[in-house]
Amino acid sequence: GQQVMQIPQYQHVQEGEDFTTYCNSSTTLSNIQWYKQRPGGHPVFLIQLVKSGEVKKQKRLTFQFGEAKKNSSLHITATQTTDVGTYFCAGLTNSGGSNYKLTFGKGTLLTVNP
Amino acid sequence: DTAVSQTPKYLVTQMGNDKSIKCEQNLGHDTMYWYKQDSKKFLKIMFSYNNKELIINETVPNRFSPKSPDKAHLNLHINSLELGDSAVYFCASSRWDSPNYGYTFGSGTRLTVV
């Protein structure tokens, strides 16, 4: 079945350092989504990338979708303590009609030392 | 004004019992899901319903039975609970007619089987 791999599993940084998490799918994706889950919370949708090679920015966060639509990355510039949480990528595939499936990577837990 | 609400938030029960988790969304979304998040934070799709019709049924024991009385509700009934069922169960909903929408998750139900 379709798999979405995400690395690293954990990342600890000093406040102000940059952070990147990478996502790779075994199959071509319709789109890739990114979510953030704070400790004890629920996944919250951040962004969706649809086009090959797409790059989107949200303040200090930069999201990229690979040319082959099989890989993606999330980069955070100058991390802050509010960035703490688990970042998940999720790849969307469609096997016909309304049969969409969103498969999550295992997430990267980011901790930030103030 | 909660968009996706799940009840109960916590559920502690003994092995062998039967329990239900309820989910309701007021976003007007067409599709609803159940995800299981294990102790390692891995989010795995269990079921997906589109307009009350079962779309995705992953390899889940048939002790788990979803029911969707209408497109705003998706409940999960679990028979003969086992220790391995302990996890956080998230309900989510989505729509597909806009490129900028992802999934909206409920706050989760932490199930502990003792």
Side-chain angles (χ1 to χ4, degrees):
Chain A
Q2 194 231 350
Q3 292 185 36
V4 176
M5 284 73 71
Q6 191 174 353
I7 57 168
Q9 194 174 353
Y10 306 98
Q11 184 77 61
H12 179 73
V13 298
Q14 288 292 127
E15 190 171 22
E17 290 182 339
D18 292 355
F19 159 76
T20 305
T21 173
Y22 301 91
C23 191
N24 198 48
S25 169
S26 56
T27 58
T28 302
L29 302 169
S30 297
N31 70 41
I32 191 128
Q33 300 177 18
W34 286 91
Y35 292 77
K36 177 182 178 181
Q37 184 177 19
R38 294 182 186 274
H42 59 276
V44 174
F45 175 70
L46 294 177
I47 207 162
Q48 176 173 285
L49 302 169
V50 180
K51 299 175 186 174
S52 169
E54 191 169 15
V55 178
K56 286 188 176 180
K57 291 192 174 187
Q58 286 180 349
K59 297 183 181 177
R60 294 177 294 104
L61 278 60
T62 301
F63 303 85
Q64 292 187 318
F65 200 11
E67 294 291 339
K69 299 184 73 172
K70 295 178 76 172
N71 61 286
S72 182
S73 65
L74 158 59
H75 180 82
I76 303 178
T77 304
T79 54
Q80 299 175 359
T81 54
T82 53
D83 295 326
V84 164
T86 301
Y87 291 85
F88 291 97
C89 65
L92 188 74
T93 53
N94 178 263
S95 54
S98 58
N99 195 357
Y100 287 92
K101 183 176 173 182
L102 191 68
T103 302
F104 280 78
K106 292 193 174 182
T108 298
L109 173 61
L110 172 65
T111 54
V112 179
N113 200 28
Chain B
D1 285 23
T2 306
V4 179
S5 58
Q6 289 179 235
T7 54
K9 193 170 175 62
Y10 300 97
L11 187 52
V12 181
T13 188
Q14 289 189 324
M15 279 175 55
N17 283 351
D18 302 340
K19 290 293 177 186
S20 291
I21 307 171
K22 294 187 175 182
C23 180
E24 176 181 4
Q25 55 95 3
N26 62 4
L27 298 166
H29 287 171
D30 300 306
T31 311
M32 296 184 72
Y33 314 83
W34 280 109
Y35 275 84
K36 179 181 179 180
Q37 186 170 49
D38 60 24
S39 57
K40 295 184 178 178
K41 301 297 185 186
F42 183 44
L43 274 162
K44 185 169 168 53
I45 180 78
M46 299 174 69
F47 301 103
S48 163
Y49 270 76
N50 183 272
N51 279 319
K52 303 191 299 175
E53 181 185 347
L54 181 64
I55 299 298
I56 293 175
N57 183 352
E58 289 293 292
T59 315
V60 177
N62 57 16
R63 298 182 294 104
F64 290 78
S65 52
K67 280 193 180 168
S68 182
D70 55 62
K71 73 174 192 177
H73 296 83
L74 180 61
N75 304 321
L76 183 65
H77 188 76
I78 316 170
N79 288 326
S80 304
L81 278 155
E82 300 177 356
L83 293 176
D85 297 332
S86 295
V88 180
Y89 292 84
F90 286 103
C91 176
S93 69
S94 72
R95 55 184 290 190
W96 299 107
D97 58 350
S98 168
N100 294 317
Y101 285 173
Y103 286 22
T104 302
F105 281 81
S107 56
T109 296
R110 182 174 293 276
L111 171 65
T112 304
V113 183
V114 297

